[in-house]
Amino acid sequence: MESSDLLYQEIILDHNRNPRNFGELSNATHKAVGHNPLCGDYIELYLIVKDNVIVDVKFSGVGCAISKSSASIMTTILKGKTIEEAKQIFNDFHTAITSEIDKKIDTQNLGKLEVFLGVREFPVRVKCVTLPWHTFIDAIEKNS
Ligand code: ZN
């Protein structure tokens, strides 16, 4: 195992133990529920969007370490982004994480999301990683 894999595991475990932005927003402008029956992951996502900017975001629910840490990291990324920026980040991330394991990925614009690229070896787990993001897209498109 490469040392970077260990580092990434540590980041994922940290976000699982201490999820950021965990909770609910009673004054949310956008809300959605996501469910991954393959793993049992369940997420509720709350957003406050003002003038096309995500000013606050929280999530709650239960899930495996991968889905929970993915949701946690996602919330830290979404805050302060415009809807368009957020969608572009997910586009790049989705392309990267669904690509072949031996494909060289340009990690430049992935930022913190790079920690999940190891999951490409486990296709079932890819759904755990992308669930929070699909829930985000759902929330935005349902309520806009
Ligand atoms: Zn899962």
Side-chain angles (χ1 to χ4, degrees):
M1 187 181 272
E2 288 176 44
S3 60
S4 64
D5 290 344
L6 284 171
L7 169 71
Y8 291 164
Q9 270 188 6
E10 200 42 56
I11 292 169
I12 289 170
L13 290 175
D14 172 53
H15 277 268
N16 178 49
R17 272 192 304 261
N18 306 301
R20 320 301 197 266
N21 305 301
F22 193 79
E24 299 178 7
L25 289 170
S26 56
N27 53 341
T29 57
H30 297 70
K31 256 194 266 188
V33 170
H35 187 218
N36 172 18
L38 284 175
C39 180
D41 306 317
Y42 174 85
I43 176 175
E44 290 175 7
L45 190 69
Y46 303 83
L47 299 156
I48 297 178
V49 180
K50 272 185 195 144
D51 301 328
N52 214 34
V53 174
I54 301 159
V55 293
D56 207 358
V57 50
K58 284 194 177 193
F59 78 100
S60 66
V62 288
C64 65
I66 299 282
S67 70
K68 211 163 147 192
S69 59
S70 175
S72 173
I73 289 173
M74 179 187 78
T75 60
T76 67
I77 290 171
L78 290 184
K79 238 184 244 194
K81 298 284 192 302
T82 66
I83 300 294
E84 286 69 31
E85 287 169 337
K87 281 182 173 172
Q88 187 57 50
I89 291 166
F90 178 46
N91 256 332
D92 294 343
F93 182 42
H94 193 263
T95 302
I97 201 158
T98 54
S99 66
E100 297 295 324
I101 189 74
D102 51 3
K103 187 169 178 273
K104 191 95 183 79
I105 303 282
D106 179 10
T107 52
Q108 191 80 40
N109 44 14
L110 286 183
K112 288 183 255 184
L113 293 169
E114 188 184 348
V115 302
F116 292 109
L117 289 182
V119 170
R120 286 180 299 162
E121 282 178 75
F122 314 98
V124 171
R125 290 300 201 168
V126 169
K127 287 202 190 318
C128 302
V129 175
T130 56
L131 175 70
W133 287 92
H134 284 299
T135 309
F136 162 68
I137 299 293
D138 211 31
I140 291 301
E141 304 204 323
K142 194 168 61 182
N143 298 295
S144 56

